[in-house]
Amino acid sequence: LKSYYYVTAPTISLQEIERTREIHSDLPRILRISSPYQEIDVVQDDLHLFGLENYQNEFHLFIDQRNQFGSHTEAIYHDTMVHGGINLAKKRPTKALVIGGGDGLIVRDLLRYPEVKSIVLVELDPAMIRLANSYPPLRELNRGALLDARVSVVTADGFEWLRREGEAF
């Protein structure tokens, strides 16, 4: 995993292999969570190793080795999705549905609106919910959003749940 996420070019010579082994020992561990649905990797961005002290404890979250977000840039994506959508609607919702988003970041931003009285989060993978609530850097980033009293977390396929429940949002 470290080679996949941290090393850009394959090594060829014995010296390069030794150097890669040395580099790997200095790199942060990668947290991998395997579920029946996906592989979730949390990759630490220890940029302070390069003299960037303001970026300690930053991370990227990957699902099936595809980048989902970086902790130091995720706000751009989530702000646009939540606040842009609410601004386009021209009124503040009282209830909201989030399909996917088990990391809690969309829910975090929806909770900023006092008009939002209830949020239903439907997430297929319980492993993502556990990660959002138990991994300290992610729980800090999502501000414990999934534990808020206004949030109902449902573990199910979002589209099947929506068809079955028939609720309007």
Side-chain angles (χ1 to χ4, degrees):
L1 285 177
K2 286 182 178 182
S3 289
Y4 181 83
Y5 288 113
Y6 293 117
V7 179
T8 57
T11 58
I12 297 170
S13 72
L14 186 58
Q15 287 176 326
E16 289 173 320
I17 291 171
E18 277 304 312
R19 180 66 187 130
T20 299
R21 198 174 292 149
E22 289 171 20
I23 290 170
H24 280 205
S25 67
D26 292 337
L27 293 172
R29 290 184 56 218
I30 295 168
L31 171 63
R32 169 160 278 185
I33 298 167
S34 297
S35 80
Y37 303 103
Q38 58 200 355
E39 300 287 341
I40 305 167
D41 294 331
V42 179
V43 179
Q44 295 301 313
D45 292 338
D46 279 351
L47 298 176
H48 70 280
L49 294 172
F50 303 101
L52 301 171
E53 293 299 325
N54 292 337
Y55 291 97
Q56 289 187 32
N57 300 319
E58 301 290 341
F59 66 94
H60 273 77
L61 188 132
F62 292 81
I63 294 178
D64 295 332
Q65 298 180 332
R66 291 183 186 95
N67 187 26
Q68 298 301 300
F69 65 86
S71 60
H72 57 286
T73 58
E74 63 79 22
I76 298 165
Y77 174 73
H78 293 101
D79 281 355
T80 303
M81 191 178 303
V82 172
H83 307 302
I86 287 175
N87 286 332
L88 287 172
K90 300 197 186 313
K91 70 176 190 169
R92 305 279 168 89
T94 57
K95 67 181 190 175
L97 170 66
V98 177
I99 297 177
D103 52 44
L105 299 171
I106 293 284
V107 171
R108 172 204 63 198
D109 284 353
L110 285 168
L111 289 171
R112 293 180 180 169
Y113 292 93
E115 297 88 350
V116 174
K117 303 298 181 204
S118 69
I119 300 169
V120 176
L121 167 71
V122 183
E123 168 63 51
L124 180 63
D125 194 346
M128 182 59 79
I129 305 266
R130 282 191 300 277
L131 181 68
N133 288 328
S134 66
Y135 181 64
L138 181 52
R139 190 177 62 238
E140 181 180 318
L141 193 61
N142 71 34
R143 297 185 189 113
L146 301 183
L147 303 173
D148 189 283
R150 295 172 285 172
V151 178
S152 299
V153 177
V154 177
T155 304
D157 177 277
F159 292 109
E160 287 179 19
W161 181 88
L162 194 56
R163 274 189 222 109
R164 185 177 59 247
E165 294 300 315
E167 207 172 329
F169 291 88

